[in-house]
Amino acid sequence: MLRITLICMVLLHLGCSQPTAQFESSNYKLVWSDDFSGNTIDSSKWITRHKDKMHGKSRIRKSCTTLDGKGHAIVKTQLLPNESEVGYEIESGMIATQGLESWKYGLFEARIKFESHPGHHGAFWLQSPVYGKVKDNFTASGTEMDVIEYFGNRSLSQNVHWNAYGSKDKRAVGSGNLKHDVLETVDTEFHVYSLLWTPEINIFYIDGEETWRTDKAVSHHDEYIILSLLANKWEAVKVKPENFPDKMSVDWVRVFQK
């Protein structure tokens, strides 16, 4: 057993780990990964995105993303009591490879156990560094690709957004609420969520099985990875203080390219 474990570790280091998504992947090799070993987030791979700023109704805090010492990243959301009308502020975790690593095309996979309660949503997503900086121009700005979003109420979706952040013609296409067996254990067990992004199409998977695809607004920009647990305005009204803190656990993230 020890020998098998060591062989697997060597293969992973050499870029020989195999994708979970079921497609013709023989030409794809592992180019980047994080298995969240150790006791602190690897600062050579991740930053706290929007640190101490508001994202929707969440205040992003570095302390809301940690490692549990068991090989998992814990992205947490919690309530901080204050003197506001509602009596608290929502604090959330969001980390990204922004400014450190980005990729154009490839297979992106993460093994995740989501949060349990509504009032926020966990997500594994990609975004172009220039997304939204040029309004009403998809070609110039690229896209946001939501590999998976979970809304804490048995609602999973996969989406592509473009022309966002101030554009007159904000656009999106998505899977809608996915009816998938994974919903039974989405917050109690780990599952693998994947995106195969090529110059022609985006194909989405859960536990290796294709769930949705689109050839609309395929990005031709480098994009970086984001892991987050956030509350927007319409979600924050669902918050029940007794359900906090809550967390999203991430076992690993991997990027494969040709």
Side-chain angles (χ1 to χ4, degrees):
M1 181 63 70
L2 177 59
R3 182 180 179 184
I4 294 173
T5 301
L6 289 173
I7 291 173
C8 290
M9 291 175 65
V10 170
L11 289 175
L12 181 60
H13 178 71
L14 292 175
C16 298
S17 179
Q18 296 300 307
T20 301
Q22 298 300 302
F23 72 105
E24 178 45 60
S25 60
S26 59
N27 292 330
Y28 282 76
K29 305 300 181 185
L30 184 70
V31 297
W32 185 93
S33 67
D34 196 347
D35 291 330
F36 301 112
S37 58
N39 295 307
T40 58
I41 295 290
D42 187 342
S43 61
S44 72
K45 295 182 176 180
W46 303 98
I47 64 163
T48 300
R49 188 172 186 259
H50 297 328
K51 180 182 175 184
D52 299 327
K53 297 178 181 179
M54 294 299 294
H55 190 288
K57 290 293 184 177
S58 290
R59 177 80 64 182
I60 306 303
R61 298 296 192 191
K62 183 177 181 179
S63 60
C64 285
T65 306
T66 60
L67 299 189
D68 65 1
K70 301 176 182 178
H72 306 128
I74 305 300
V75 186
K76 183 170 62 174
T77 187
Q78 61 188 14
L79 303 183
L80 180 69
N82 63 18
E83 296 181 357
S84 67
E85 183 177 348
V86 295
Y88 55 78
E89 180 174 74
I90 301 172
E91 294 188 327
S92 298
M94 178 164 56
I95 59 174
T97 66
Q98 187 175 7
L100 300 172
E101 293 281 356
S102 60
W103 305 266
K104 182 160 65 173
Y105 315 131
L107 176 70
F108 300 80
E109 299 195 316
R111 189 169 184 259
I112 300 171
K113 179 169 61 177
F114 279 107
E115 77 283 358
S116 296
H117 301 290
H120 45 257
H121 71 272
F124 165 40
W125 44 306
L126 309 180
Q127 196 172 88
S128 160
V130 294
Y131 183 66
K133 292 185 178 181
V134 181
K135 296 179 181 179
D136 297 304
N137 190 330
F138 152 68
T139 302
S141 286
T143 68
E144 173 184 309
M145 294 179 279
D146 301 325
V147 183
I148 196 70
E149 292 184 278
Y150 179 61
F151 298 93
N153 57 358
R154 296 296 183 263
S155 178
L156 278 170
S157 66
Q158 297 162 322
N159 306 283
V160 176
H161 299 266
W162 67 102
N163 286 358
Y165 301 156
S167 291
K168 296 177 182 178
D169 186 28
K170 183 177 180 180
R171 302 290 300 276
V173 291
S175 64
N177 188 2
L178 290 165
K179 305 300 182 184
H180 195 281
D181 291 344
V182 73
L183 286 168
E184 295 298 320
T185 56
V186 68
D187 60 345
T188 58
E189 297 179 8
F190 285 95
H191 297 276
V192 178
Y193 304 93
S194 312
L195 164 66
L196 177 62
W197 166 29
T198 77
E200 297 79 30
I201 199 165
N202 293 316
I203 307 175
F204 297 76
Y205 303 81
I206 297 177
D207 287 340
E209 174 191 1
E210 182 182 333
T211 48
W212 180 62
R213 63 169 59 198
T214 181
D215 59 3
K216 292 184 178 180
V218 175
S219 175
H220 302 297
H221 285 263
D222 286 1
E223 306 235 357
Y224 57 87
I225 293 171
I226 309 167
L227 298 169
S228 60
L229 186 57
L230 302 169
N232 291 316
K233 183 177 180 180
W234 65 274
E235 294 162 333
V237 298
K238 302 176 183 179
V239 165
K240 295 182 179 180
E242 63 269 22
N243 291 336
F244 286 76
D246 205 353
K247 66 182 182 181
M248 176 178 96
S249 302
V250 186
D251 187 24
W252 48 255
V253 181
R254 295 173 185 165
V255 180
F256 300 82
Q257 287 185 314
K258 285 186 176 182

